[in-house]
Amino acid sequence: MDVLAGIFLAALLQDLSYTSKTAFVSRGHRGLAVAADACAMLTSSIYLILAASVTMRSGLSLATVEAFAAIAIGGACGTVCGMFAVDWLELRFALGRRADKHGRLLARSGAVTMITR
């Protein structure tokens, strides 16, 4: 059961990372896209190793079917979660940019210097 949970979690993280990477690339966040891609490559290796170990130990059996079902379900959940995660991160970045822009506008207008004097 622990192996199936590991397979599910790795598949979820892998699809979450790939979905995030795609969204980050399309929105111009290259640094975040590279980090998401590195995470996706690592987690895909983990779940492939775990799935292969289940298959090698049990051959074509119920355990193998369960392992591949865990991959499919984890992948679907990761894709959906990735879309929500990217939207959340975009909202956080947008709020940060607005606050920075507001601070620069205040500094240009002299409001900040008047307050500090």
Side-chain angles (χ1 to χ4, degrees), residues 4-5 12 18 24 31-32 40 45-46 48 66 88 98-100 109:
L4 285 178
L12 184 139
Y18 275 132
F24 287 142
L32 291 171
S45 298
I46 291 170
L48 287 174
E66 289 173 343
W88 181 80
R98 269 191 256 142
D100 288 345
S109 69

Side-chain angles (χ1 to χ4, degrees), residues 99-115:
D100 288 345
K101 186 177 178 182
H102 181 68
R104 278 185 260 142
L105 290 174
L106 284 177
R108 283 187 198 151
S109 69
V112 174
T113 55
M114 287 191 278
I115 293 171

Side-chain angles (χ1 to χ4, degrees), residues 9-19 36 39-41 43-44 47 75:
L9 185 62
L12 184 139
L13 290 175
Q14 188 247 355
D15 275 15
L16 183 126
S17 299
Y18 275 132
T19 303
C39 182
M41 287 187 287
T43 54
S44 67
Y47 89 73

